Amino acid sequence: MSDTSEAYLQIGEVAERTGVTQRTLRFYEEKGLLRPPTRMDGGFRLYSEDDVKRVEHIRRLQNLLGLSLAEIKEMVEAQEMLREITAQYRPEWDVAEKKRQLRKAIDVVSQQHGIVSQKAEQMSEMKAQLAERLQTFDRWMAELEHAERKAPVA
Amino acid sequence: MSDTSEAYLQIGEVAERTGVTQRTLRFYEEKGLLRPPTRMDGGFRLYSEDDVKRVEHIRRLQNLLGLSLAEIKEMVEAQEMLREITAQYRPEWDVAEKKRQLRKAIDVVSQQHGIVSQKAEQMSEMKAQLAERLQTFDRWMAELEHAERKAPVA
DNA sequence: GCGACGCCTTACTTCTACGTCAAGGTTATG
DNA sequence: CATAACCTTGACGTAGAAGTAAGGCGTCGC
């Protein structure tokens, strides 16, 4: 291969780099979460670095926010829209149409932001509770050790 | 029982108050996440306010942390242990045994704390990214409106 | 003491998010 | 050109977390 065309990855490399299985990558494609990658003549999938990022993003939405693939798909699709707008694709769209799409994207992202904010808040609340509980436990442990020194095991 | 024995709830009420179905409550019981509630003579389950809290806790662990019911079970069981220790139950246990149990509980809680901390951090990172993205969008939107004023819709 | 409604168990079904073959085509390498 | 390593589609399987339906008691208000 040419040295500069190293931008293309086969499914195995993508799997390794993202930590998901090949099956999962095909599955995401099937479900519309990853757009169908380009193919080699023989039919092998060729992914871009961008695709890798998308996979990582999907995983974050899954693990961090606990969203379903269906929900993630919606978000990913909005991202797609954006990329098209920003890359000056679809020059046939007039400004009004671009605005419509952009507004849609803003909606999705603010929704995402809302979810994250809410969860983050609940998390720090929970974190505080746990920290407090740990303190209590440490105190109890100290008490137990005190008791042990006073009255050693029979 | 005490005169204010109105503290007992049937499964339907618990379901309504916690937002889970009756099936789910029985399922959690079956899986050992909820200890078997007391029953009326006819066999109807009678839950306490404490049970309600436990259900809410389980849901938080599920939704916020994305833990499996198996993982949640471990945590809930550790909580149970603690309640017994702290309530001075099991006086037949010697101090060493109590220490063992307490240490176990501490382990579980610190693990929980670790998970929460990590997730919280990742969340605020994500939140920042989203906020930044929103800013960018707003700028674009402004640009589009500017363009529109200069060259109105054809 | 009866009707309506709530609850019981048991068993089967569903949905999501993949895992696991199987049988065969493609690509790189000596 | 053989051979290993990699990839393809397709079909079936699975674990977790419930949903749903069937058939049968319990409870409550009148």
Side-chain angles (χ1 to χ4, degrees):
Chain A
M1 314 163 188
S2 75
D3 47 355
T4 58
S5 74
E6 257 322 305
Y8 289 97
L9 307 161
Q10 286 188 207
I11 195 168
E13 307 179 64
V14 176
E16 202 172 337
R17 285 184 43 183
T18 59
V20 308
T21 66
Q22 304 185 12
R23 173 70 174 94
T24 297
L25 292 172
R26 298 198 191 98
F27 181 71
Y28 286 174
E29 182 184 337
E30 206 177 299
K31 291 282 163 180
L33 277 107
L34 295 176
R35 38 131 237 233
T38 56
R39 306 275 190 138
M40 294 168 51
D41 285 5
F44 287 22
R45 288 173 178 79
L46 285 178
Y47 294 94
S48 68
E49 288 294 334
D50 244 55
D51 290 323
V52 172
K53 280 188 195 146
R54 210 172 320 239
V55 173
E56 284 163 352
H57 187 215
I58 291 171
R59 290 262 116 181
R60 269 201 308 279
L61 292 177
Q62 256 194 316
N63 300 330
L64 229 60
L65 302 190
L67 303 178
S68 70
L69 293 189
E71 292 168 312
I72 293 174
K73 184 183 171 187
E74 275 195 61
M75 304 194 156
V76 168
E77 276 170 353
Q79 306 277 69
E80 274 312 273
M81 278 280 84
L82 275 181
R83 298 189 75 81
E84 297 198 358
I85 297 172
T86 75
Q88 301 298 88
Y89 284 2
R90 309 239 180 177
E92 76 275 14
W93 287 357
D94 62 9
V95 174
E97 179 60 21
K98 286 195 181 182
K99 277 178 68 176
R100 240 190 305 287
Q101 295 298 337
L102 182 51
R103 226 186 302 276
K104 199 158 106 189
I106 289 181
D107 266 16
V108 173
V109 176
S110 357
Q111 192 191 324
Q112 237 175 108
H113 186 266
I115 297 175
V116 174
S117 296
Q118 192 190 330
K119 288 222 176 196
E121 200 179 323
Q122 291 176 32
M123 285 249 171
S124 43
E125 204 179 304
M126 196 165 175
K127 188 175 159 186
Q129 275 181 29
L130 289 172
E132 195 185 335
R133 196 171 295 182
L134 273 178
Q135 282 232 327
T136 311
F137 292 173
D138 283 351
R139 256 191 288 108
W140 287 344
M141 184 59 95
E143 275 172 33
L144 279 178
E145 300 199 320
H146 185 66
E148 206 171 34
R149 266 197 304 283
K150 282 182 91 165
V153 187
Chain B
M1 308 280 158
S2 67
D3 47 352
T4 60
S5 71
E6 258 320 302
Y8 288 97
L9 308 161
Q10 288 189 202
I11 195 168
E13 307 180 63
V14 176
E16 202 172 336
R17 286 184 41 182
T18 59
V20 308
T21 66
Q22 303 186 11
R23 173 67 174 97
T24 298
L25 292 172
R26 299 196 192 99
F27 182 70
Y28 286 175
E29 181 184 337
E30 201 178 303
K31 291 282 164 181
L33 277 113
L34 295 176
R35 39 131 238 234
T38 56
R39 305 275 190 137
M40 295 168 50
D41 285 4
F44 285 24
R45 289 172 177 78
L46 286 178
Y47 294 93
S48 68
E49 288 294 333
D50 243 55
D51 290 323
V52 172
K53 280 187 195 148
R54 210 171 319 238
V55 173
E56 284 163 352
H57 186 213
I58 290 171
R59 291 262 114 179
R60 269 201 306 278
L61 292 176
Q62 257 195 319
N63 299 331
L64 229 61
L65 303 190
L67 302 179
S68 70
L69 293 189
E71 292 168 312
I72 293 174
K73 183 182 172 187
E74 275 194 62
M75 303 194 158
V76 168
E77 276 170 354
Q79 306 276 67
E80 276 310 274
M81 277 280 83
L82 275 180
R83 298 187 74 82
E84 296 197 0
I85 296 172
T86 74
Q88 302 298 87
Y89 285 0
R90 310 245 178 171
E92 77 274 14
W93 286 359
D94 62 7
V95 174
E97 178 60 20
K98 286 194 180 182
K99 277 178 67 177
R100 241 189 304 285
Q101 296 297 337
L102 183 52
R103 226 187 300 277
K104 200 158 103 190
I106 289 181
D107 266 15
V108 173
V109 176
S110 3
Q111 193 190 322
Q112 236 174 111
H113 186 265
I115 297 174
V116 174
S117 296
Q118 193 191 328
K119 288 222 174 194
E121 200 178 323
Q122 291 176 31
M123 285 244 174
S124 42
E125 204 178 304
M126 196 165 174
K127 187 175 159 186
Q129 274 181 30
L130 289 172
E132 195 185 335
R133 196 171 296 182
L134 274 177
Q135 282 232 326
T136 310
F137 293 173
D138 282 351
R139 254 190 291 109
W140 287 343
M141 184 59 95
E143 275 172 34
L144 279 178
E145 302 201 317
H146 185 67
E148 208 171 32
R149 266 197 303 284
K150 281 181 90 166
V153 187

Short mmCIF file of all heavy atoms in Angstrom, two decimals, chain B residues 31-78:
data_model
loop_
_atom_site.label_atom_id
_atom_site.label_comp_id
_atom_site.label_asym_id
_atom_site.label_seq_id
_atom_site.Cartn_x
_atom_site.Cartn_y
_atom_site.Cartn_z
N LYS B 31 -34.85 -12.43 42.99
CA LYS B 31 -33.41 -12.33 42.74
C LYS B 31 -32.63 -11.98 44.00
O LYS B 31 -31.41 -11.82 43.96
CB LYS B 31 -33.15 -11.26 41.69
CG LYS B 31 -33.63 -11.64 40.31
CD LYS B 31 -32.66 -12.60 39.65
CE LYS B 31 -33.31 -13.29 38.46
NZ LYS B 31 -32.40 -14.24 37.80
N GLY B 32 -33.33 -11.82 45.09
CA GLY B 32 -32.63 -11.54 46.34
C GLY B 32 -32.27 -10.08 46.55
O GLY B 32 -31.47 -9.76 47.42
N LEU B 33 -32.84 -9.20 45.78
CA LEU B 33 -32.53 -7.79 45.95
C LEU B 33 -33.41 -7.16 47.02
O LEU B 33 -33.02 -6.19 47.67
CB LEU B 33 -32.74 -7.05 44.63
CG LEU B 33 -31.55 -7.16 43.71
CD1 LEU B 33 -31.89 -7.97 42.48
CD2 LEU B 33 -31.10 -5.79 43.30
N LEU B 34 -34.59 -7.70 47.16
CA LEU B 34 -35.47 -7.28 48.25
C LEU B 34 -35.68 -8.50 49.12
O LEU B 34 -35.95 -9.59 48.62
CB LEU B 34 -36.82 -6.81 47.69
CG LEU B 34 -36.83 -5.57 46.81
CD1 LEU B 34 -38.24 -5.33 46.28
CD2 LEU B 34 -36.34 -4.37 47.59
N ARG B 35 -35.56 -8.31 50.40
CA ARG B 35 -35.80 -9.47 51.25
C ARG B 35 -37.30 -9.74 51.22
O ARG B 35 -38.10 -8.80 51.09
CB ARG B 35 -35.32 -9.19 52.66
CG ARG B 35 -35.59 -7.77 53.13
CD ARG B 35 -36.21 -7.79 54.47
NE ARG B 35 -37.49 -7.14 54.47
CZ ARG B 35 -37.77 -6.16 55.31
NH1 ARG B 35 -36.85 -5.71 56.13
NH2 ARG B 35 -39.00 -5.64 55.33
N PRO B 36 -37.68 -11.01 51.34
CA PRO B 36 -39.09 -11.36 51.28
C PRO B 36 -39.88 -10.57 52.31
O PRO B 36 -39.55 -10.59 53.49
CB PRO B 36 -39.08 -12.85 51.64
CG PRO B 36 -37.74 -13.33 51.24
CD PRO B 36 -36.81 -12.16 51.47
N PRO B 37 -40.88 -9.85 51.86
CA PRO B 37 -41.66 -9.04 52.79
C PRO B 37 -42.56 -9.92 53.65
O PRO B 37 -42.76 -11.10 53.33
CB PRO B 37 -42.51 -8.17 51.86
CG PRO B 37 -42.62 -8.94 50.60
CD PRO B 37 -41.38 -9.76 50.49
N THR B 38 -43.07 -9.36 54.71
CA THR B 38 -44.04 -10.10 55.53
C THR B 38 -45.30 -10.26 54.69
O THR B 38 -45.50 -9.57 53.70
CB THR B 38 -44.36 -9.30 56.80
OG1 THR B 38 -44.82 -8.00 56.41
CG2 THR B 38 -43.15 -9.16 57.67
N ARG B 39 -46.13 -11.17 55.13
CA ARG B 39 -47.34 -11.43 54.37
C ARG B 39 -48.57 -11.32 55.25
O ARG B 39 -48.51 -11.57 56.45
CB ARG B 39 -47.31 -12.86 53.80
CG ARG B 39 -46.09 -13.20 52.98
CD ARG B 39 -46.26 -12.78 51.55
NE ARG B 39 -45.20 -13.31 50.70
CZ ARG B 39 -45.40 -13.84 49.51
NH1 ARG B 39 -46.61 -13.91 49.01
NH2 ARG B 39 -44.38 -14.27 48.79
N MET B 40 -49.67 -11.00 54.62
CA MET B 40 -50.95 -11.08 55.33
C MET B 40 -51.33 -12.56 55.39
O MET B 40 -50.71 -13.39 54.75
CB MET B 40 -52.03 -10.32 54.55
CG MET B 40 -51.77 -8.83 54.45
SD MET B 40 -52.84 -7.98 53.27
CE MET B 40 -54.45 -8.56 53.73
N ASP B 41 -52.38 -12.85 56.17
CA ASP B 41 -52.79 -14.25 56.30
C ASP B 41 -53.09 -14.87 54.94
O ASP B 41 -52.77 -16.03 54.69
CB ASP B 41 -54.03 -14.36 57.20
CG ASP B 41 -53.66 -14.15 58.65
OD1 ASP B 41 -52.48 -13.85 58.92
OD2 ASP B 41 -54.54 -14.28 59.52
N GLY B 42 -53.69 -14.09 54.09
CA GLY B 42 -54.05 -14.62 52.77
C GLY B 42 -52.87 -14.77 51.82
O GLY B 42 -53.02 -15.32 50.75
N GLY B 43 -51.70 -14.25 52.23
CA GLY B 43 -50.53 -14.39 51.38
C GLY B 43 -50.11 -13.11 50.70
O GLY B 43 -49.07 -13.06 50.05
N PHE B 44 -50.89 -12.05 50.84
CA PHE B 44 -50.53 -10.76 50.22
C PHE B 44 -49.26 -10.21 50.85
O PHE B 44 -49.07 -10.26 52.05
CB PHE B 44 -51.66 -9.75 50.42
CG PHE B 44 -52.85 -9.99 49.54
CD1 PHE B 44 -53.12 -11.25 49.01
CD2 PHE B 44 -53.73 -8.96 49.24
CE1 PHE B 44 -54.23 -11.48 48.20
CE2 PHE B 44 -54.83 -9.17 48.44
CZ PHE B 44 -55.09 -10.44 47.92
N ARG B 45 -48.40 -9.67 50.02
CA ARG B 45 -47.15 -9.07 50.52
C ARG B 45 -47.42 -7.75 51.23
O ARG B 45 -48.21 -6.93 50.75
CB ARG B 45 -46.19 -8.83 49.37
CG ARG B 45 -45.58 -10.07 48.78
CD ARG B 45 -44.80 -9.75 47.53
NE ARG B 45 -44.14 -10.92 46.96
CZ ARG B 45 -44.76 -11.84 46.24
NH1 ARG B 45 -46.06 -11.72 46.01
NH2 ARG B 45 -44.11 -12.87 45.75
N LEU B 46 -46.71 -7.55 52.33
CA LEU B 46 -46.81 -6.29 53.06
C LEU B 46 -45.44 -5.64 53.15
O LEU B 46 -44.54 -6.16 53.82
CB LEU B 46 -47.37 -6.55 54.46
CG LEU B 46 -48.87 -6.86 54.51
CD1 LEU B 46 -49.30 -7.14 55.94
CD2 LEU B 46 -49.68 -5.70 53.92
N TYR B 47 -45.30 -4.51 52.49
CA TYR B 47 -44.02 -3.83 52.45
C TYR B 47 -43.96 -2.70 53.47
O TYR B 47 -44.99 -2.15 53.87
CB TYR B 47 -43.77 -3.25 51.06
CG TYR B 47 -43.61 -4.29 49.98
CD1 TYR B 47 -44.70 -4.71 49.22
CD2 TYR B 47 -42.36 -4.84 49.70
CE1 TYR B 47 -44.55 -5.65 48.21
CE2 TYR B 47 -42.21 -5.79 48.70
CZ TYR B 47 -43.30 -6.19 47.96
OH TYR B 47 -43.15 -7.12 46.97
N SER B 48 -42.75 -2.35 53.85
CA SER B 48 -42.53 -1.22 54.75
C SER B 48 -42.01 -0.03 53.97
O SER B 48 -41.63 -0.15 52.81
CB SER B 48 -41.51 -1.61 55.81
OG SER B 48 -40.24 -1.78 55.20
N GLU B 49 -41.97 1.09 54.62
CA GLU B 49 -41.42 2.30 54.00
C GLU B 49 -39.95 2.07 53.64
O GLU B 49 -39.45 2.59 52.65
CB GLU B 49 -41.51 3.49 54.96
CG GLU B 49 -42.92 4.01 55.17
CD GLU B 49 -43.51 4.63 53.90
OE1 GLU B 49 -42.73 5.12 53.06
OE2 GLU B 49 -44.74 4.60 53.76
N ASP B 50 -39.32 1.28 54.46
CA ASP B 50 -37.92 0.95 54.21
C ASP B 50 -37.76 0.22 52.88
O ASP B 50 -36.79 0.45 52.15
CB ASP B 50 -37.43 0.04 55.33
CG ASP B 50 -36.32 0.69 56.11
OD1 ASP B 50 -36.55 1.81 56.59
OD2 ASP B 50 -35.24 0.08 56.20
N ASP B 51 -38.71 -0.64 52.61
CA ASP B 51 -38.65 -1.37 51.35
C ASP B 51 -38.76 -0.41 50.18
O ASP B 51 -38.09 -0.56 49.16
CB ASP B 51 -39.78 -2.41 51.31
CG ASP B 51 -39.52 -3.56 52.28
OD1 ASP B 51 -38.36 -3.94 52.45
OD2 ASP B 51 -40.50 -4.03 52.90
N VAL B 52 -39.63 0.56 50.34
CA VAL B 52 -39.78 1.57 49.29
C VAL B 52 -38.45 2.25 49.01
O VAL B 52 -38.02 2.40 47.86
CB VAL B 52 -40.84 2.62 49.68
CG1 VAL B 52 -40.86 3.76 48.67
CG2 VAL B 52 -42.21 1.97 49.78
N LYS B 53 -37.77 2.61 50.11
CA LYS B 53 -36.47 3.27 49.94
C LYS B 53 -35.48 2.36 49.25
O LYS B 53 -34.68 2.80 48.42
CB LYS B 53 -35.93 3.69 51.30
CG LYS B 53 -36.56 4.97 51.81
CD LYS B 53 -35.88 5.46 53.08
CE LYS B 53 -36.72 6.51 53.76
NZ LYS B 53 -36.56 6.48 55.23
N ARG B 54 -35.54 1.10 49.62
CA ARG B 54 -34.61 0.16 49.02
C ARG B 54 -34.84 0.08 47.50
O ARG B 54 -33.90 0.06 46.72
CB ARG B 54 -34.76 -1.22 49.65
CG ARG B 54 -33.45 -2.00 49.66
CD ARG B 54 -33.61 -3.26 50.49
NE ARG B 54 -34.38 -2.97 51.70
CZ ARG B 54 -33.94 -3.16 52.92
NH1 ARG B 54 -32.73 -3.66 53.12
NH2 ARG B 54 -34.69 -2.88 53.97
N VAL B 55 -36.08 0.05 47.13
CA VAL B 55 -36.39 -0.01 45.70
C VAL B 55 -35.85 1.23 44.99
O VAL B 55 -35.22 1.14 43.93
CB VAL B 55 -37.91 -0.11 45.46
CG1 VAL B 55 -38.23 0.01 43.98
CG2 VAL B 55 -38.43 -1.43 46.01
N GLU B 56 -36.06 2.37 45.61
CA GLU B 56 -35.56 3.60 45.00
C GLU B 56 -34.04 3.57 44.88
O GLU B 56 -33.48 4.03 43.89
CB GLU B 56 -36.02 4.81 45.82
CG GLU B 56 -37.50 5.13 45.58
CD GLU B 56 -38.11 6.02 46.65
OE1 GLU B 56 -37.45 6.29 47.67
OE2 GLU B 56 -39.27 6.44 46.45
N HIS B 57 -33.42 3.02 45.88
CA HIS B 57 -31.97 2.92 45.85
C HIS B 57 -31.50 2.02 44.71
O HIS B 57 -30.58 2.34 43.97
CB HIS B 57 -31.47 2.39 47.19
CG HIS B 57 -29.98 2.39 47.32
ND1 HIS B 57 -29.28 1.45 48.02
CD2 HIS B 57 -29.06 3.22 46.80
CE1 HIS B 57 -27.99 1.70 47.94
NE2 HIS B 57 -27.82 2.78 47.20
N ILE B 58 -32.17 0.90 44.59
CA ILE B 58 -31.85 -0.04 43.52
C ILE B 58 -31.96 0.65 42.16
O ILE B 58 -31.08 0.53 41.31
CB ILE B 58 -32.79 -1.26 43.56
CG1 ILE B 58 -32.49 -2.11 44.79
CG2 ILE B 58 -32.67 -2.09 42.30
CD1 ILE B 58 -33.49 -3.21 45.05
N ARG B 59 -33.03 1.40 41.99
CA ARG B 59 -33.23 2.09 40.73
C ARG B 59 -32.13 3.11 40.45
O ARG B 59 -31.69 3.29 39.33
CB ARG B 59 -34.59 2.80 40.74
CG ARG B 59 -35.74 1.85 40.71
CD ARG B 59 -36.27 1.69 39.31
NE ARG B 59 -36.08 0.35 38.80
CZ ARG B 59 -36.49 -0.03 37.59
NH1 ARG B 59 -37.10 0.82 36.81
NH2 ARG B 59 -36.25 -1.24 37.17
N ARG B 60 -31.71 3.80 41.50
CA ARG B 60 -30.62 4.76 41.30
C ARG B 60 -29.35 4.06 40.86
O ARG B 60 -28.66 4.51 39.95
CB ARG B 60 -30.37 5.55 42.58
CG ARG B 60 -31.17 6.83 42.68
CD ARG B 60 -30.53 7.80 43.66
NE ARG B 60 -30.30 7.20 44.96
CZ ARG B 60 -31.22 7.07 45.90
NH1 ARG B 60 -32.44 7.50 45.69
NH2 ARG B 60 -30.93 6.50 47.05
N LEU B 61 -29.06 2.95 41.53
CA LEU B 61 -27.85 2.21 41.16
C LEU B 61 -27.94 1.73 39.71
O LEU B 61 -26.94 1.69 39.00
CB LEU B 61 -27.64 1.02 42.10
CG LEU B 61 -27.29 1.37 43.54
CD1 LEU B 61 -27.19 0.12 44.40
CD2 LEU B 61 -25.96 2.13 43.61
N GLN B 62 -29.13 1.38 39.30
CA GLN B 62 -29.32 0.92 37.93
C GLN B 62 -29.17 2.06 36.94
O GLN B 62 -28.40 1.98 35.99
CB GLN B 62 -30.74 0.37 37.78
CG GLN B 62 -30.84 -1.14 37.75
CD GLN B 62 -32.20 -1.55 37.25
OE1 GLN B 62 -33.22 -0.95 37.62
NE2 GLN B 62 -32.25 -2.57 36.42
N ASN B 63 -29.93 3.11 37.18
CA ASN B 63 -30.00 4.19 36.19
C ASN B 63 -28.77 5.07 36.19
O ASN B 63 -28.31 5.49 35.13
CB ASN B 63 -31.24 5.05 36.45
CG ASN B 63 -32.50 4.23 36.33
OD1 ASN B 63 -32.55 3.25 35.60
ND2 ASN B 63 -33.51 4.61 37.08
N LEU B 64 -28.28 5.36 37.36
CA LEU B 64 -27.17 6.28 37.46
C LEU B 64 -25.85 5.58 37.17
O LEU B 64 -25.03 6.08 36.41
CB LEU B 64 -27.14 6.89 38.86
CG LEU B 64 -27.01 8.39 38.89
CD1 LEU B 64 -28.18 9.03 38.21
CD2 LEU B 64 -26.88 8.87 40.32
N LEU B 65 -25.66 4.44 37.78
CA LEU B 65 -24.37 3.79 37.62
C LEU B 65 -24.39 2.69 36.57
O LEU B 65 -23.35 2.18 36.19
CB LEU B 65 -23.92 3.21 38.96
CG LEU B 65 -23.82 4.24 40.10
CD1 LEU B 65 -23.13 3.62 41.30
CD2 LEU B 65 -23.05 5.46 39.64
N GLY B 66 -25.56 2.30 36.15
CA GLY B 66 -25.63 1.26 35.14
C GLY B 66 -25.17 -0.09 35.63
O GLY B 66 -24.61 -0.88 34.88
N LEU B 67 -25.38 -0.36 36.90
CA LEU B 67 -24.96 -1.66 37.44
C LEU B 67 -25.98 -2.73 37.12
O LEU B 67 -27.16 -2.45 36.93
CB LEU B 67 -24.80 -1.55 38.96
CG LEU B 67 -23.82 -0.49 39.44
CD1 LEU B 67 -23.77 -0.46 40.96
CD2 LEU B 67 -22.43 -0.76 38.89
N SER B 68 -25.50 -3.96 37.05
CA SER B 68 -26.41 -5.08 36.84
C SER B 68 -27.08 -5.44 38.17
O SER B 68 -26.59 -5.10 39.23
CB SER B 68 -25.65 -6.29 36.32
OG SER B 68 -24.84 -6.81 37.36
N LEU B 69 -28.17 -6.14 38.07
CA LEU B 69 -28.86 -6.53 39.29
C LEU B 69 -27.96 -7.40 40.17
O LEU B 69 -28.03 -7.33 41.40
CB LEU B 69 -30.15 -7.27 38.95
CG LEU B 69 -31.21 -6.43 38.26
CD1 LEU B 69 -32.52 -7.19 38.18
CD2 LEU B 69 -31.44 -5.12 39.00
N ALA B 70 -27.11 -8.19 39.56
CA ALA B 70 -26.20 -9.03 40.34
C ALA B 70 -25.25 -8.15 41.17
O ALA B 70 -25.03 -8.41 42.35
CB ALA B 70 -25.40 -9.93 39.40
N GLU B 71 -24.73 -7.12 40.53
CA GLU B 71 -23.82 -6.21 41.25
C GLU B 71 -24.58 -5.48 42.35
O GLU B 71 -24.09 -5.33 43.48
CB GLU B 71 -23.23 -5.20 40.27
CG GLU B 71 -22.27 -5.82 39.27
CD GLU B 71 -21.90 -4.86 38.14
OE1 GLU B 71 -22.81 -4.23 37.54
OE2 GLU B 71 -20.71 -4.74 37.86
N ILE B 72 -25.77 -5.06 42.01
CA ILE B 72 -26.58 -4.35 42.99
C ILE B 72 -26.89 -5.24 44.17
O ILE B 72 -26.88 -4.80 45.32
CB ILE B 72 -27.87 -3.83 42.32
CG1 ILE B 72 -27.53 -2.76 41.29
CG2 ILE B 72 -28.83 -3.28 43.36
CD1 ILE B 72 -28.71 -2.29 40.47
N LYS B 73 -27.10 -6.48 43.88
CA LYS B 73 -27.40 -7.41 44.96
C LYS B 73 -26.27 -7.45 45.98
O LYS B 73 -26.49 -7.40 47.19
CB LYS B 73 -27.63 -8.81 44.40
CG LYS B 73 -28.02 -9.82 45.46
CD LYS B 73 -28.20 -11.22 44.88
CE LYS B 73 -28.40 -12.23 46.01
NZ LYS B 73 -28.42 -13.61 45.51
N GLU B 74 -25.06 -7.53 45.47
CA GLU B 74 -23.90 -7.54 46.38
C GLU B 74 -23.90 -6.31 47.28
O GLU B 74 -23.66 -6.41 48.49
CB GLU B 74 -22.61 -7.52 45.56
CG GLU B 74 -22.14 -8.88 45.11
CD GLU B 74 -20.70 -8.79 44.62
OE1 GLU B 74 -19.82 -8.43 45.43
OE2 GLU B 74 -20.46 -9.06 43.42
N MET B 75 -24.17 -5.20 46.67
CA MET B 75 -24.13 -3.96 47.44
C MET B 75 -25.24 -3.92 48.46
O MET B 75 -25.04 -3.53 49.61
CB MET B 75 -24.29 -2.78 46.49
CG MET B 75 -23.21 -2.80 45.42
SD MET B 75 -23.07 -1.29 44.50
CE MET B 75 -21.38 -1.47 43.91
N VAL B 76 -26.39 -4.32 48.03
CA VAL B 76 -27.53 -4.31 48.94
C VAL B 76 -27.28 -5.26 50.11
O VAL B 76 -27.60 -4.96 51.26
CB VAL B 76 -28.81 -4.71 48.18
CG1 VAL B 76 -29.93 -4.99 49.14
CG2 VAL B 76 -29.21 -3.62 47.22
N GLU B 77 -26.65 -6.37 49.81
CA GLU B 77 -26.37 -7.33 50.87
C GLU B 77 -25.39 -6.76 51.88
O GLU B 77 -25.51 -6.98 53.09
CB GLU B 77 -25.82 -8.63 50.27
CG GLU B 77 -26.93 -9.56 49.82
CD GLU B 77 -26.41 -10.74 49.00
OE1 GLU B 77 -25.19 -10.78 48.69
OE2 GLU B 77 -27.23 -11.60 48.66
N ALA B 78 -24.42 -6.02 51.36
CA ALA B 78 -23.46 -5.39 52.27
C ALA B 78 -24.17 -4.39 53.18
O ALA B 78 -23.87 -4.30 54.37
CB ALA B 78 -22.37 -4.70 51.47
#
